[in-house]
Amino acid sequence: MTTPAEPAPFDEAVVLSPEWLARILESGHPGVVPAAAEVVERIETVATKLRFRVTYAQQAGAPPALCAKGYFNPRHRRGSRAEADFYRDFAHDLPVRTPPCVHAAVDEDTGHALVLMHDLVAAGARFLDPLVGYRAAQAAETLDQLAALHAATWDDKRPDASGLFPPRLASLAGHMTVETLQPLLDDGRAAGIPDDVRRADRLLAAMAAMDTLGNSSARCLVHGDLHAGNIYELPDGRPGLIDWQVVQSGHWAQDIAYHLATVLPPDELARTERDLLEHYLHRLAAHGVEPPDREHAWWMYRAHLPYGLYLWSMTRAVDRPIIEHLTGRLATAVARHKSLDLLEV
């Protein structure tokens, strides 16, 4: 009789072992016998992603290439459980493209979260780069995915969503004070932005104001971090969404404002954002949701731009060029729309 596999080992050597893989894969592939695993790429930010090939003595239909995402580096063992909970309990029921998940778990003793997915790169998918160009036509396709996600969870269609993924604006704002945030805003990441936008007190007040807006509106599940680096494209060009670490119950405009302002160059954003917002609202209606009034939606879109600016203003554990690129784009959009004035902060 075999012993149960650890649900989310801290030790990546355990995850790559034939014994652990056999116990995890057995439920979906009875009779599987992994023989060895070979890492083909290691990607390390806060989380670590291990892409690896598996050879089998008995394959039993199991995937030949997998990707494990966990917090294997001892310096970064503070990750969120939200992503593992999302893949385990929600992803398979949502009409949104995500990597096929083999196993997702949180070790309740250690708090470590682990997700084991099919390796989409081996299947021909392309993972995008937040520093590389993205066009309005591509943004329309990712808005289709966001509309499907929002509609499927709109206004308590999935009442378990808000319990498992509670609103996070207040908790995110709680990570910073004016004294800790202002030096980050002044470190060059938002160079050239007007002084009245580059103010920590206003940005923290904006987070509180957006939280209040969310309490008076229909909530849905939002991705929370959809810049281009969290998008992949299948060989036929269709987009999918990855990195669900900030998934939360929130206001639809958090996702739309953040996504458009991060993926599009400022000039193209200014030319296309109203049309793209109209496209999103049309797709919401196609999924059976009564969309908000167009002018109210336009106000909400502009009012939620500070959400992304706050996230990137507080970010440190990402490559500096990405921090500057995304903070600059978001700050430019906030300044152009006078979003902080809309929120009266």
Side-chain angles (χ1 to χ4, degrees):
M1 177 175 160
T2 60
T3 57
E6 294 179 67
F10 269 128
D11 187 348
E12 64 187 66
V14 174
V15 174
L16 296 170
S17 69
E19 295 79 11
W20 188 85
L21 289 171
R23 292 171 185 164
I24 294 302
L25 294 172
E26 173 69 26
S27 61
H29 306 280
V32 68
V33 182
E38 177 189 4
V39 175
V40 296
E41 185 179 18
R42 179 189 180 92
I43 304 166
E44 189 160 330
T45 51
V46 175
T48 301
K49 296 176 187 175
L50 298 172
R51 295 181 50 235
F52 59 97
R53 288 191 294 263
V54 185
T55 55
Y56 295 93
Q58 296 288 338
Q59 188 164 1
L66 292 165
C67 178
K69 181 177 181 180
Y71 298 86
F72 304 123
N73 189 323
R75 293 178 299 165
H76 297 305
R77 291 189 172 172
R78 56 176 181 82
S80 164
R81 66 176 293 153
E83 184 170 39
D85 287 339
F86 172 80
Y87 277 107
R88 184 188 62 206
D89 298 327
F90 269 73
H92 52 83
D93 287 333
L94 294 175
V96 181
R97 288 182 211 101
T98 59
C101 181
V102 173
H103 173 72
V106 178
D107 188 314
E108 300 297 342
D109 293 329
T110 66
H112 184 229
L114 174 71
V115 180
L116 186 65
M117 303 165 278
H118 286 222
D119 180 4
L120 292 179
V121 174
R126 180 173 73 99
F127 286 78
L128 305 188
D129 185 325
L131 299 177
V132 175
Y134 201 80
R135 313 310 300 178
Q138 290 172 287
E141 292 198 42
T142 40
L143 290 179
D144 291 348
Q145 290 291 289
L146 289 175
L149 170 68
H150 297 167
T153 56
W154 192 268
D155 198 16
D156 286 333
K157 281 187 182 178
R158 286 288 303 265
D160 51 339
S162 59
L164 197 55
F165 309 109
R168 295 187 66 175
L169 291 178
S171 63
L172 286 167
H175 290 301
M176 288 282 157
T177 64
V178 171
E179 291 74 23
T180 56
L181 182 60
Q182 192 62 55
L184 296 174
L185 284 163
D186 292 337
D187 72 359
R189 68 182 64 202
I193 301 306
D195 290 343
D196 65 339
V197 172
R198 199 172 60 251
R199 276 180 48 184
D201 59 337
R202 297 190 80 197
L203 202 48
L204 286 165
M207 291 290 283
M210 288 182 286
D211 190 38
T212 299
L213 287 176
N215 290 333
S216 62
S217 305
R219 289 191 179 273
C220 58
L221 206 60
V222 298
H223 181 282
D225 191 21
L226 196 60
H227 57 77
N230 287 338
I231 298 168
Y232 65 90
E233 289 183 345
L234 295 171
D236 62 5
R238 291 178 300 155
L241 315 185
I242 59 168
D243 280 6
W244 294 82
Q245 296 176 82
V246 195
V247 61
Q248 61 195 273
S249 176
H251 195 285
W252 62 266
Q254 285 176 244
D255 266 348
I256 307 309
Y258 180 103
H259 177 59
L260 293 181
T262 54
V263 301
L264 295 177
D267 289 347
E268 185 166 5
L269 177 67
R271 288 195 307 270
T272 62
E273 60 192 340
R274 288 210 72 151
D275 288 341
L276 287 167
L277 177 60
E278 181 70 24
H279 173 77
Y280 165 79
L281 296 174
H282 175 75
R283 295 305 301 155
L284 265 187
H287 287 292
V289 169
E290 180 68 31
D293 169 83
R294 266 54 182 172
E295 288 307 311
H296 180 64
W298 175 239
W299 190 94
M300 283 291 187
Y301 162 79
R302 292 178 292 149
H304 279 83
L305 285 164
Y307 165 72
L309 177 56
Y310 174 78
L311 287 190
W312 284 96
S313 294
M314 66 181 286
T315 296
R316 283 168 280 194
V318 176
D319 290 345
R320 182 68 188 194
I322 295 174
I323 291 174
E324 293 183 4
H325 179 72
L326 296 182
T327 306
R329 282 189 169 186
L330 287 155
T332 298
V334 168
R336 178 167 59 84
H337 284 298
K338 300 187 183 303
S339 300
L340 299 176
D341 293 337
L342 289 178
L343 293 167
E344 299 182 350
V345 299

